[in-house]
Amino acid sequence: SAVISQKPSRDICQRGTSLTIQCQVDSQVTMMFWYRQQPGQSLTLIATANQGSEATYESGFVIDKFPISRPNLTFSTLTVSNMSPEDSSIYLCSGGQGHEQYFGPGTRLTVT
Amino acid sequence: QKEVEQNSGPLSVPEGAIASLNCTYSDRVSQSFFWYRQYSGKSPELIMSIYSNGDKEDGRFTAQLNKASQYVSLLIRDSQPSDSATYLCAVKGGKAGGTSYGKLTFGQGTILTVHP
């Protein structure tokens, strides 16, 4: 299994600003992903963080709004740009070797 | 049709009973199936994975997979109040080179309550 940490665990931000979330895995993983979970909802995949190349975004998510970096096999960042109250959500990163994926504790973002 | 659909909840069972959680999926080439448990305010925790038809048992948990019927289930025996959580079924895209390869698609979740 993989142990995943995220920073920050929560934040309250003003609209129009940006927040970068960090995700650290305790071992090298082939795949890392970023998800969003809105209150009472299931998980929605934002993008696949590709090591050494541009992230692959799901329908409805764009790079200008959610730029992602993945400089190596254990670390990734997600930036939520030009935030609005609709971006208030929990953001989760996941990673894994092989078939299984493990989740970080999540970042609870509130935009005022 | 949703790609991954779980039985509607919430599900309430008495302590000691068997809780049965069901999930159907639409992508026939999917090869990997997972059950996650999510406590309120926490992130999803992987509790079971299954890759071939049949049953897989781990302690009080049994996952069942039927690829022909595109159906996966989770049985929790001797349910405990600590099992009360949301259970998420996840299916991994299976076709190498396909747009869904390696990605998990989640069902909407089933809230389970085990009452004493």
Side-chain angles (χ1 to χ4, degrees):
Chain A
S1 66
V3 177
I4 300 178
S5 58
Q6 283 184 238
K7 290 194 296 187
S9 58
R10 59 178 62 227
D11 208 340
I12 300 173
C13 301
Q14 291 189 336
R15 69 171 65 209
T17 63
S18 298
L19 175 72
T20 295
I21 303 167
Q22 298 180 7
C23 177
Q24 179 74 55
V25 189
D26 69 339
S27 58
Q28 292 186 345
V29 292
T30 50
M31 306 191 85
M32 291 182 75
F33 302 90
W34 288 96
Y35 292 83
R36 183 171 72 183
Q37 187 174 31
Q38 296 183 311
Q41 303 293 314
S42 188
L43 282 76
T44 300
L45 180 63
I46 298 172
T48 303
N50 301 309
Q51 194 267 327
S53 64
E54 196 170 278
T56 305
Y57 290 84
E58 298 301 302
S59 176
F61 298 96
V62 295
I63 187 171
D64 290 346
K65 177 67 176 178
F66 298 102
I68 288 170
S69 78
R70 188 174 175 197
N72 56 52
L73 292 176
T74 64
F75 185 79
S76 178
T77 66
L78 168 75
T79 299
V80 186
S81 303
N82 188 25
M83 288 184 283
S84 66
E86 292 71 36
D87 295 320
S88 297
S89 189
I90 296 172
Y91 292 84
L92 295 144
C93 72
S94 75
Q97 239 348 324
H99 295 291
E100 299 181 344
Q101 280 187 37
Y102 301 89
F103 283 86
T107 296
R108 184 180 295 272
L109 172 61
T110 302
V111 184
T112 60
Chain B
Q1 180 190 1
K2 293 181 181 177
E3 293 184 48
V4 179
E5 195 151 0
Q6 297 184 231
N7 54 321
S8 59
L11 177 65
S12 180
V13 301
E15 184 173 357
I18 296 174
S20 177
L21 304 162
N22 304 313
C23 175
T24 57
Y25 59 95
S26 61
D27 185 357
R28 285 193 170 275
V29 301
S30 298
Q31 297 295 319
S32 307
F33 307 87
F34 307 91
W35 285 98
Y36 287 83
R37 178 176 62 198
Q38 187 172 27
Y39 292 115
S40 180
K42 301 294 185 182
S43 64
E45 173 193 7
L46 179 64
I47 56 171
M48 288 291 284
S49 57
I50 187 166
Y51 308 108
S52 55
N53 282 327
D55 295 359
K56 178 182 178 182
E57 188 174 316
D58 184 0
R60 296 186 295 110
F61 298 99
T62 299
Q64 299 174 316
L65 175 61
N66 184 325
K67 290 184 181 180
S69 300
Q70 296 175 242
Y71 174 89
V72 58
S73 67
L74 179 71
L75 300 178
I76 306 174
R77 291 183 301 282
D78 188 23
S79 294
Q80 301 296 309
S82 59
D83 295 325
S84 298
T86 297
Y87 288 80
L88 298 162
C89 172
V91 176
K92 195 169 194 177
K95 186 175 182 181
T99 56
S100 63
Y101 182 69
K103 302 175 186 177
L104 289 181
T105 300
F106 285 85
Q108 73 273 30
T110 300
I111 298 172
L112 171 67
T113 301
V114 181
H115 52 88

